[in-house]
Amino acid sequence: MFPSRLKVSLPAENTKSLILKKGFEPCLTIYPLAEWEKIMGRFEHLDEFDVKARKFERSFLRGADEIEMDSNFRFLIPKKFINELGFKKEVVVVGVNNRIEIWDAETLDNYVADEDEFSALAADMMKASKSNQQEGR
């Protein structure tokens, strides 16, 4: 079932359609259809004559599935994702910016930064964010 705290963040239109794909890390990434369409818009700027662009497109889009939630905001995770991502009994649902990630609980523990690493990551990311804002990106 889709977590109620995340339901409110779904756009009013197409609230029942979701795109599921394997994430960059070993997690299931879920995009509301409106967010997925924004991402697909960015693909229009890739050069189809560039071998790296084509390889990226194939890799990113491989295995993406559109699913529909039922009236109670329930959906089934396709078996291919459960098997490939090693979901066991307990999973964790994480809201991340424009997407939702579903992780095997134990696997997520291995991907979360420890305190020192998190501090360094925060400093780097916030500097980059500030720099991008100042450049008007």
Side-chain angles (χ1 to χ4, degrees), residues 1-20 29-36 38 67-75 93-101:
M1 180 171 280
F2 203 79
S4 56
R5 70 189 189 322
L6 297 176
K7 280 184 218 173
V8 297
S9 64
L10 290 172
E13 70 284 346
N14 296 322
T15 57
K16 300 288 184 170
S17 295
L18 300 171
I19 304 296
L20 278 64
T29 304
I30 302 172
Y31 295 93
L33 189 57
E35 287 299 320
W36 181 255
K38 289 179 193 176
I67 62 157
E68 296 285 325
M69 291 184 284
D70 68 14
S71 59
N72 292 318
F73 289 87
R74 293 178 300 195
F75 63 93
V93 179
V94 183
V96 184
N97 197 5
N98 65 338
R99 65 191 181 280
I100 295 154
E101 295 178 347

Side-chain angles (χ1 to χ4, degrees), residues 3-79:
S4 56
R5 70 189 189 322
L6 297 176
K7 280 184 218 173
V8 297
S9 64
L10 290 172
E13 70 284 346
N14 296 322
T15 57
K16 300 288 184 170
S17 295
L18 300 171
I19 304 296
L20 278 64
K21 67 176 293 310
K22 184 178 176 208
F24 291 106
E25 290 80 20
C27 66
L28 179 64
T29 304
I30 302 172
Y31 295 93
L33 189 57
E35 287 299 320
W36 181 255
E37 289 169 352
K38 289 179 193 176
I39 292 169
M40 291 298 93
R42 295 173 69 184
F43 275 72
E44 294 172 10
H45 302 289
L46 295 178
D47 181 358
E48 70 178 285
F49 300 104
D50 182 324
V51 69
K52 288 190 312 186
R54 291 192 312 269
K55 191 170 189 173
F56 168 70
E57 286 177 308
R58 279 186 219 105
S59 296
F60 184 81
L61 297 172
R62 186 175 143 241
D65 263 345
E66 182 173 354
I67 62 157
E68 296 285 325
M69 291 184 284
D70 68 14
S71 59
N72 292 318
F73 289 87
R74 293 178 300 195
F75 63 93
L76 290 176
I77 297 174
K79 204 91 157 136

